[in-house]
Amino acid sequence: MATEDKNRATAAAILPLVGGAANVSSVVHCMTRLRLGLHDRSLVQDEALKAVPAVMGVVEDDTYQIVLGPGTVARVTPEFEKLVKEGQESAPAPDPAATPLTAEELAAQGAEMKAARKAKNATPFKLFLRKIANIFVPLIPALIGCGIIAGLNGLLVNLEWLPSVTPALAAMASGFMALIAVFVGYNTAKEFGGTPILGGAVAAIIVFPGVANIEAFGQKLSPGQGGVLGALGAAVLAVYVEKWCRRWVPEALDVLVTPTLTVLVSGLVTIFGLMYVAGEVSTAIGTFADWLLSNGGAGAGLVLGGFFLPLVMLGLHQALIPIHTTLIEQQGYTVLLPILAMAGAGQVGAAIAVFFRLPRNESIRRTIKSALPAGFLGVGEPLIYGVSLPLGRPFITACVGGAFGGAFVGFFNQLGDAVGSTAIGPSGWALFPLLDGNHGLGATIAIYAGGLVVGYLAGFVATYFFGFSKELLAEFNVSQEPAASTVTATGPATVGAGPEAPAKEPAGV
């Protein structure tokens, strides 16, 4: 009960600071953030919101995003939704005469805000990537849970403990992955505006054992061939077929004809085309990932680890989600995630260096102290948006730390010691329970831990010696509160105005 009260108290503290229930148009959450659709952004009290103890930071994108951290966000969101619903149901009908603005002024204000957001965030490519993320992100909790069970089962099998229990654990760990195509199909149809269950029905064809009796392109099909990419394509096709049917089929026959034609047409194309093509693409992704790390090794790890933070800032990292899922489906783990996780290690090392380089700036030091524990666990937003990015150079040197950590892990991949993760989502220390590889759990953990240490050290050294110009030190190594930032961690205002527009351009960046 105490935990429920704490989560409800957090939700109750947040709600009035975002303009109350009437200002909330939508509520969703991802792994770490409460994402709110707001009618009027000007009603949000940013500074007061940042001071809420559970709030690690805020990010303004197409939605207003409040960083609460993994675990916490999943518990606070339902309480927040209840409060919003209660507030909206009890709110009196608005009195048009009481508003200080005319309808034209309100419309102009809303149009201006919407246009500004679209200009920043609504490029076609970003919108497409958001759709892809919306399909796969809801699957992450199941991937994590099943991944941890798979790791536990592997440990018990290697130790030859509980032989009567390990088959049951194997079933629990593998059941979701055996049917993941169905869930992808369901979410895809939902995201693209179709009937979700029809998307799931078409995607289920891919994992049906009976497809082994079917030939396509002169080859026998295999159950699961094409995997999540095939399910994605099949469900998108089903949505377009369904929409076509809704336009042309008479209403009296719609309930019978539309679902039948949707499954029939999409199913035939999936069986005799998409499964083969998506299977070849999936195989190529796995082969390329293996080739890249086997031949590129340290160089590939350097590039992947070094450029991951900029990809996150641009929102382009979402394109990697289907690739991770495909690798997990094929090989049991993704070899890319542990390398990309080194970007967070570089960020932590850089933040520690900033802490020591700015001994007089109490504000930044408090921000770092409050955000470091989350940073070690792989939640990097407070450090990125509240420390390194507004400062400029430390963000670049944090990327250098990630590059060195990625190179370390990539080097061992080149030597034949694959380090992978059985799920996506966690990073930093939180990734340890999900690690897997081809040379035993001990070696895998040691390599990943070594990469983190290298990332910490490289990020620290690069930032300490090269992250500050004389002008930057003179500007920020002072005992005063800097300008408020658009995105900060818990605590007083930080160094800049966020990733889009820092208050001042640091000298020498």
Side-chain angles (χ1 to χ4, degrees), residues 64 109 156 173 181 207 225 233 274 311 333 351 371 398 417 452 460 462 464 497:
Y64 191 80
Q109 185 183 70
L156 293 176
V207 296
Q225 185 174 338
L274 279 177
L311 285 179
Y333 51 79
D417 294 304
L452 289 178
F460 178 88
Y464 193 89

Side-chain angles (χ1 to χ4, degrees), residues 147 293 324 327-328 331-339 409 413 417-424 431-441 443-445 447-448:
L293 295 179
H324 287 311
L327 292 174
I328 293 171
Q331 304 174 358
Y333 51 79
T334 168
V335 293
L336 298 179
L337 186 58
I339 292 177
V409 178
N413 270 278
D417 294 304
V419 177
S421 170
T422 57
I424 56 177
L431 197 62
F432 277 111
L434 297 168
L435 291 176
D436 197 2
N438 61 350
H439 280 85
L441 189 58
T444 301
I445 290 176
I447 294 170
Y448 180 72

Side-chain angles (χ1 to χ4, degrees), residues 57-76:
V58 296
V59 180
E60 189 172 359
D61 196 18
D62 58 321
T63 55
Y64 191 80
Q65 303 170 16
I66 303 171
V67 183
L68 298 174
T72 301
V73 69
R75 291 169 172 81
V76 171

Side-chain angles (χ1 to χ4, degrees), residues 268-432:
L268 288 172
V269 175
T270 298
I271 291 170
F272 293 106
L274 279 177
M275 284 185 68
Y276 176 81
V277 173
E280 293 298 305
V281 173
S282 298
T283 301
I285 289 173
T287 302
F288 178 73
D290 290 338
W291 175 88
L292 180 66
L293 295 179
S294 297
N295 294 275
L302 186 87
V303 173
L304 291 171
F307 282 94
F308 187 61
L309 283 181
L311 285 179
V312 172
M313 298 307 307
L314 295 172
L316 301 180
H317 65 296
Q318 295 169 342
L320 297 172
I321 297 176
I323 296 175
H324 287 311
T325 309
T326 298
L327 292 174
I328 293 171
E329 196 177 34
Q330 283 186 344
Q331 304 174 358
Y333 51 79
T334 168
V335 293
L336 298 179
L337 186 58
I339 292 177
L340 299 176
M342 296 301 116
Q347 187 66 229
V348 168
I352 295 173
V354 172
F355 184 87
F356 285 105
R357 289 290 273 162
L358 301 179
R360 296 177 185 149
N361 194 315
E362 298 89 351
S363 174
I364 293 179
R365 287 165 67 89
R366 279 196 297 268
T367 296
I368 293 171
K369 282 192 288 187
S370 66
L372 266 180
F376 279 114
L377 292 173
V379 182
E381 288 97 333
L383 291 177
I384 294 173
Y385 295 122
V387 180
S388 64
L389 191 63
L391 284 171
R393 272 197 190 183
F395 179 76
I396 297 172
T397 52
C399 294
V400 171
F404 275 85
F408 181 89
V409 178
F411 175 72
F412 280 93
N413 270 278
Q414 189 171 13
L415 295 179
D417 294 304
V419 177
S421 170
T422 57
I424 56 177
S427 184
W429 293 0
L431 197 62
F432 277 111

Side-chain angles (χ1 to χ4, degrees), residues 458-473:
F460 178 88
V461 171
T463 304
Y464 193 89
F465 291 103
F466 306 105
F468 290 88
S469 63
K470 292 181 179 180
E471 293 83 358
L472 198 62
L473 277 175

Side-chain angles (χ1 to χ4, degrees), residues 193-219:
T195 302
I197 198 65
L198 292 179
V202 174
I205 297 169
I206 293 173
V207 296
F208 178 60
V211 297
N213 301 318
I214 302 172
E215 282 192 12
F217 297 94
Q219 299 179 11

